[in-house]
């Protein structure tokens, strides 16, 4: 899935090209780059990004439309405003699964309430806040429809949080309170496994059991995303951040050349992340991608200095945003596709 997950107006020929390229040997694939397409904004829209995809032609994200942050989906390259749940003032999409079901967070600024939502073909479905907590944010959704949230409770200057798992088959939500082994939830795998930060490493939680994802031989390393047991993230290596991949929870991590952080991984191991930026002012730079561990090239849209692909989609494309500066000025939604170099 994605870090955090995460439009397919590709014709069948382009989709076939993506599959063929992913199957080519590294020498041939080195002639291929991901090239950007800036997606059109809906009427009244500005400042937007793609955060999820169904992997079959649809992308979804958040766009400010007529002054209100709203969920927008792109189908056949054109934007459709999905809007905001009734009674709320903003909605931010976070992830989308292959069935086109979207998860995110909706806000009511008057009451200062934030709640997770699910958006499907029938509309928005806002989740209840678990007892004892003040807010619950949508984080991720997997293929079968399990939904991951993050609940928060504040008391004075301190707070507590918990992962919330709504299983696809229904029933009461499962809460996993923050603890040394489960301090901050990152992502959700296809089988319901949750990926957590835990001190200088990560852990995997499933049905009450916890397994550590070891950064060894590095002393520190964290997973940001998980898919089919493959974990991607970052480690401290030689005093700096290096993007890293665990082929399985028990495998030794493998560094991803040219990257500082890996953010998202798709069902066949395509990974996207960020390059290092040692000259500052931030420690990571623009987008990069890997076919398993083979480094690829991600090109930025003309006229934009900053670009991030936070989604590795199941059709082999990438998605995210581009902006004019590090503060996100002029942010626009972008999709990248594998295209032969001219």
């Amino acid at each position: 899935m994605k870090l955090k997950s995460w439009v397919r107006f590709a014709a069948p020929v382009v989709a076939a090209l993506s599959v063929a390229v992913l199957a080519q040997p590294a020498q041939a694939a080195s002639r291929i780059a991901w090239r950007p397409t800036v997606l059109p904004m809906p009427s009244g829209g500005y400042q937007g990004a793609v955060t999820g995809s169904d992997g079959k032609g649809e992308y979804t994200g958040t766009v400010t439309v007529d002054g209100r942050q709203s969920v927008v989906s792109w189908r056949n390259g054109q934007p459709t405003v999905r809007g905001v749940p009734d009674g709320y003032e903003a909605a931010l999409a976070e992830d989308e699964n292959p069935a086109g079901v979207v998860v995110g967070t909706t806000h009511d600024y008057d009451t200062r309430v934030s709640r997770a939502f699910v958006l499907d073909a029938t509309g928005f479905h806002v989740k209840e806040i678990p007892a004892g907590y003040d807010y619950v944010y949508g984080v991720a959704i997997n293929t079968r429809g399990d939904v991951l949230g993050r609940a928060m409770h504040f008391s004075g200057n301190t707070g507590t949080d918990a992962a919330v798992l709504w299983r696809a088959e229904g029933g009461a939500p499962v809460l996993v309170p923050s603890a040394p082994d489960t301090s901050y939830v990152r992502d959700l795998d296809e089988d319901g496994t949750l990926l957590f930060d835990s001190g200088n490493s990560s852990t995997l939680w499933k049905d009450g059991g916890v397994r550590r994802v070891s950064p060894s031989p590095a002393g520190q390393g964290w997973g940001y995303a998980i898919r089919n047991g493959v974990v991607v993230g970052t480690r401290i290596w030689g005093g700096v951040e290096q993007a890293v991949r665990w082929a399985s929870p028990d495998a030794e991590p493998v560094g991803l050349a040219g990257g500082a952080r890996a953010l998202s991984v798709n069902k066949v191991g395509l990974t996207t992340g960020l390059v290092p930026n040692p000259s500052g002012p931030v420690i990571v730079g623009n987008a990069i991608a890997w076919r398993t561990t083979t480094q690829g090239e991600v090109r930025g849209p003309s006229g934009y200095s900053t670009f991030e692909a936070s989604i590795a989609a199941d059709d082999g494309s990438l998605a995210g945003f581009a902006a004019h500066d590090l503060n996100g000025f002029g942010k626009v939604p972008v999709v990248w596709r594998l295209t032969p170099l001219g």
Side-chain angles (χ1 to χ4, degrees), residues 19-43:
V19 173
V21 168
L22 289 172
Q24 291 181 31
Q27 296 88 340
S30 66
R31 297 194 297 269
I32 304 296
W34 279 270
R35 292 189 174 185
T37 297
V38 176
L39 300 177
M41 291 286 195
S43 177

Side-chain angles (χ1 to χ4, degrees), residues 265-323:
V265 59
N266 79 356
K267 65 181 181 181
V268 296
L270 173 65
T271 301
T272 185
L274 299 170
V275 300
N277 188 30
S279 61
V282 295
I283 60 175
V284 290
N286 289 324
I288 187 172
W290 301 267
R291 298 172 301 278
T292 310
T293 58
T294 301
Q295 181 180 343
E297 178 186 0
V298 181
R299 297 186 171 187
S302 177
Y304 294 90
S305 60
T306 299
F307 54 97
E308 178 179 313
S310 59
I311 302 298
D314 282 346
D315 64 357
S317 62
L318 313 176
F321 69 88

